[in-house]
Amino acid sequence: MQKIIKQRPVLTHLQLSDHPLLNRLYQSRGVQSTKELERTLQHLHHPQQLSGIDQATDLLVEAYEQQANIIIVGDFDADGATSTALTLLALRQLGFQHVEYLIPDRFSQGYGLSLDIANMILEKEVDLVITVDNGISSFEGIALLKENGIKVLVTDHHLPAEQLPNADAMVNPNLSYCPFPSKSLAGVGVAFYVMLALRSKMREKNLFQGKEPNLAELLDLVALGTVADVVPLDHNNRILVHQGLNRIRSGACRVGIKALVEVGKRDLETLQAADLGFAIAPRLNAAGRLENMSLGVELLTADNMDIARQLAFELDSLNQTRKEFEQEMKTEALAICAKLPSLAQKEQAHGIVLYQPDWHQGVIGILASRIKDQFHRPVIAFAQENEDSPFIKGSARSINGLHMRDLLERIDSHYPELIVKFGGHAMAAGLTIHQDNFLKFQKIFDEKIDEMIEPELLQGIIYTDGELQADEFTLEIANLLQQAGPWGQHFPEPTFEGNFRILQQRLLGGKHLKMMLENEKGTLLDAIWFNIDLRSFPDMSVKKAKIIYKLDINEYKGNKNLQLRVENVIV
């Protein structure tokens, strides 16, 4: 699909920076005051602004005083792994002696505190269950635990349904009655806030025998989980990510993160938020996608570098396998798309729903994301729940302007027998349907999108920050932009456009395009375009093009050079 290029509109005319380029970037990202650019911890929202925080800390203090048996139930993605690791480490640092964790198996047990997980817990001697990055929709599992006298604390950030589970305490900024100013906390952010509030409560009650633990030491986990879960980087999340990145760069981070940075071939001292998202998180996520995320939690809680490296290499190997599955599935998905009548006729469907029985359940989320990017349509990819099951599980990815969970809720309210269960966010969700209902769901999904979305939102748009001046193609500007972050979801990394002559093209590693460019002022610039479409490039006949790019720094053998990181080439 040919995308439209638009410059980001200026959303405010406030003076936000003395540097004209930074000022323009901040204005187009809707920054409302210079206070929103502060990144010190004292500018974080206070934990007491979270509803349910007192009930949660009372429950935890009681458990501490009784030295109760606690199980943390996490999720099988990177946010779930970092949430689990953070809560486990924090409780142990705070003096809790009997804390274990449990990560559901994606394939046999599904998401969250399900009945299967609740029954596993009942086989152990457990007094309190803490959910992290899940729980707000775990009605049956929580009910079963409560019936058996086990207390439950839910910490979550997913959008709740109209009904809420019968937990002893719930902390979730997205509860309708919660006044917490940031609704964008990741699961690990919520867990971090609960631990901060618990430390304060324990301090009030003089429960510390010695030195209080420094929970800021866990901000590396908060940064990783927040970026990995692609939650909006509002001011509060930017502080958390910035502080966590600072700890990682200084080496004051978990050895497991150091090991992941090593296998990801990144430089610890110059690590950026994008590196967490594109190099570190996928390797951590590979455990939950192909095996069990307990491997990831063990890595994040390891305190021995040799063990951490061994686990990181194992994750790296799983990630390579995941890439192979993904490539094979994408080829099959594109073949299916080519046969869909509306897509084949270029009268594109409003939504794309795909299913193949042998697709890997752990990879369908990435597949849906790739197809969404290619066609700029909301996409759901389904795989069979297991060989004997009549149900299929879907992973959904949306585009800006269409709230995926709201869409699934609308379908569920109009066709109550169609969806077995669902949950998620605006941009990503999961659901289960009966395989006999696939064609019906496919049709209804498309119809409901048509009802909910304006046609122009289905046109792919690349937003840029305009053109750079000739004197802005410098290492100093590239450094300035890196330091002005962290950049990420809803606070996008600066992206520029410009007309260039293409002087050289050569393939690197069989899939990356290295180019020598010349701008309109005659300046020669190195450029790299990662993971190109080999059907289109290299193309030696292309001598001029509009190029969409980000300023980057290429460091090789101690030398730093300016490099354009190409996002798109418009011939």
Side-chain angles (χ1 to χ4, degrees):
M1 168 184 283
Q2 186 69 42
K3 296 188 177 182
I4 296 172
I5 300 169
K6 285 187 178 182
Q7 288 190 22
R8 288 193 181 92
V10 172
L11 302 175
T12 175
H13 293 284
L14 297 170
Q15 181 67 28
L16 299 163
S17 172
D18 292 333
H19 193 285
L21 177 58
L22 276 187
N23 192 55
R24 174 160 62 90
L25 295 174
Y26 290 144
Q27 287 177 338
S28 64
R29 281 150 183 79
V31 176
Q32 294 300 313
S33 73
T34 54
K35 283 185 179 179
E36 288 185 24
L37 301 173
E38 296 286 350
R39 297 175 298 187
T40 54
L41 290 173
Q42 58 260 42
H43 287 89
L44 282 175
H45 300 312
H46 199 279
Q48 286 302 126
Q49 293 175 277
L50 282 161
S51 287
I53 199 75
D54 285 329
Q55 294 96 312
T57 53
D58 286 344
L59 203 59
L60 288 165
V61 165
E62 181 186 17
Y64 171 80
E65 291 173 334
Q66 297 172 359
Q67 281 304 325
N69 293 319
I70 298 174
I71 282 190
I72 302 161
V73 176
D75 186 18
F76 39 62
D77 65 0
D79 188 17
T82 52
S83 303
T84 303
L86 181 143
T87 306
L88 184 69
L89 292 166
L91 289 177
R92 287 175 177 171
Q93 289 175 18
L94 289 164
F96 289 74
Q97 294 173 18
H98 308 294
V99 189
E100 297 178 38
Y101 74 90
L102 187 56
I103 304 289
D105 182 84
R106 179 193 289 266
F107 311 106
S108 63
Q109 295 168 320
Y111 168 77
L113 207 176
S114 61
L115 279 175
D116 275 355
I117 293 295
N119 278 310
M120 284 181 66
I121 291 169
L122 292 180
E123 293 174 7
K124 304 170 181 280
E125 288 187 13
V126 178
D127 304 298
L128 172 64
V129 170
I130 305 172
T131 71
V132 292
D133 192 31
N134 75 94
I136 204 66
S137 59
S138 300
F139 300 97
E140 294 177 330
I142 290 174
L144 181 59
L145 293 179
K146 292 287 291 173
E147 286 168 14
N148 285 274
I150 296 174
K151 293 180 178 177
V152 181
L153 164 58
V154 169
T155 77
D156 201 351
H157 71 127
H158 292 91
L159 297 172
E162 287 185 16
Q163 301 296 316
L164 296 173
N166 180 33
D168 293 273
M170 283 183 287
V171 181
N172 182 339
N174 285 301
L175 291 168
S176 60
Y177 51 81
C178 181
F180 194 74
S182 171
K183 304 298 181 183
S184 301
L185 281 177
V188 69
V190 178
F192 180 65
Y193 264 90
V194 172
M195 293 301 107
L196 287 177
L198 173 58
R199 185 181 62 179
S200 294
K201 183 68 67 79
M202 292 178 71
R203 182 190 302 140
E204 288 172 17
K205 292 181 172 290
N206 295 315
L207 293 177
F208 292 115
Q209 304 302 317
K211 188 179 178 183
E212 284 186 20
N214 179 13
L215 295 183
E217 292 175 357
L218 302 173
L219 281 164
D220 55 346
L221 295 170
V222 181
L224 175 54
T226 299
V227 173
D229 217 45
V230 203
V231 292
L233 290 192
D234 61 11
H235 182 212
N236 206 67
N237 277 340
R238 290 201 303 278
I239 295 172
L240 292 171
V241 173
H242 174 75
Q243 293 292 329
L245 275 170
N246 279 350
R247 297 196 68 85
I248 294 170
R249 291 178 191 133
S250 69
C253 62
R254 305 295 308 169
V255 293
I257 291 180
K258 288 182 183 178
L260 285 173
V261 171
E262 278 185 12
V263 297
K265 296 181 172 59
R266 294 303 196 270
D267 183 357
L268 198 72
E269 293 180 4
T270 59
L271 202 75
Q272 300 294 315
D275 296 314
L276 293 179
F278 294 110
I280 312 307
R283 288 173 166 83
L284 185 57
N285 269 322
R289 293 189 186 283
L290 301 188
E291 288 194 6
N292 189 283
M293 189 45 99
S294 297
L295 181 64
V297 177
E298 289 303 304
L299 171 69
L300 295 175
T301 54
D303 52 17
N304 178 288
M305 191 62 186
D306 290 335
I307 292 173
R309 282 196 177 106
Q310 182 182 336
L311 293 169
F313 280 125
E314 200 172 330
L315 287 176
D316 189 54
S317 176
L318 284 173
N319 194 48
Q320 290 302 319
T321 303
R322 185 271 303 170
K323 286 181 180 178
E324 292 165 12
F325 280 136
E326 180 193 329
Q327 188 53 51
E328 184 179 331
M329 288 163 59
K330 185 179 177 184
T331 301
E332 293 169 348
L334 289 174
I336 296 171
C337 288
K339 295 174 184 176
L340 294 175
S342 55
L343 289 173
Q345 296 163 15
K346 307 298 182 186
E347 298 169 1
Q348 291 198 352
H350 299 98
I352 300 172
V353 184
L354 306 167
Y355 166 53
Q356 191 149 302
D358 62 350
W359 277 348
H360 196 291
Q361 197 184 120
V363 187
I364 53 174
I366 299 176
L367 175 66
S369 186
R370 299 287 186 260
I371 300 300
K372 178 212 67 166
D373 290 343
Q374 181 136 347
F375 293 101
H376 195 71
R377 293 289 184 275
V379 175
I380 303 181
F382 281 97
Q384 196 162 2
E385 188 174 55
N386 58 60
E387 287 184 10
D388 304 318
S389 174
F391 297 106
I392 55 178
K393 284 188 168 184
S395 195
R397 296 294 183 271
S398 195
I399 58 174
N400 286 328
L402 180 72
H403 195 297
M404 182 56 74
R405 192 193 175 283
D406 286 355
L407 170 63
L408 295 177
E409 193 163 40
R410 178 178 289 201
I411 293 173
D412 188 51
S413 64
H414 290 182
Y415 302 90
E417 304 303 316
L418 190 57
I419 301 177
V420 178
K421 57 183 176 182
F422 69 94
H425 297 295
M427 301 303 288
L431 70 157
T432 301
I433 65 172
H434 196 287
Q435 59 186 1
D436 291 347
N437 288 331
F438 174 74
L439 292 176
K440 182 179 179 182
F441 179 84
Q442 193 176 40
K443 179 174 179 290
I444 290 168
F445 182 72
D446 193 66
E447 289 173 355
K448 291 301 175 188
I449 294 171
D450 188 25
E451 292 174 10
M452 292 178 68
I453 201 167
E454 296 298 324
E456 55 265 27
L457 290 175
L458 296 173
Q459 172 64 58
I461 298 172
I462 300 172
Y463 285 101
T464 79
D465 293 293
E467 298 191 31
L468 283 178
Q469 302 300 311
D471 61 356
E472 291 176 325
F473 287 94
T474 66
L475 274 174
E476 290 74 21
I477 294 292
N479 268 314
L480 181 75
L481 296 182
Q482 284 190 356
Q483 291 164 10
W487 309 99
Q489 185 75 356
H490 288 206
F491 200 75
E493 187 178 354
T495 303
F496 306 101
E497 62 179 276
N499 296 310
F500 295 86
R501 289 182 63 210
I502 302 176
L503 304 181
Q504 294 177 13
Q505 300 178 47
R506 61 188 175 91
L507 210 55
L508 288 182
K511 57 182 179 179
H512 311 309
L513 189 66
K514 184 76 173 172
M515 294 183 279
M516 176 66 73
L517 305 178
E518 183 182 27
N519 67 12
E520 292 174 327
K521 297 293 184 181
T523 306
L524 297 181
L525 297 156
D526 280 325
I528 184 81
W529 191 6
F530 291 111
N531 299 310
I532 61 167
D533 184 346
L534 293 170
R535 295 170 299 179
S536 303
F537 285 92
D539 183 349
M540 300 306 168
S541 69
V542 178
K543 303 295 184 183
K544 291 183 179 180
K546 180 180 282 291
I547 291 180
I548 314 300
Y549 64 93
K550 295 171 180 173
L551 277 193
D552 199 11
I553 299 170
N554 182 30
E555 186 166 355
Y556 183 67
K557 292 184 177 179
N559 295 318
K560 293 183 177 182
N561 295 294
L562 182 71
Q563 177 176 256
L564 306 191
R565 193 165 80 248
V566 175
E567 300 287 308
N568 220 313
V569 174
I570 314 296
V571 179

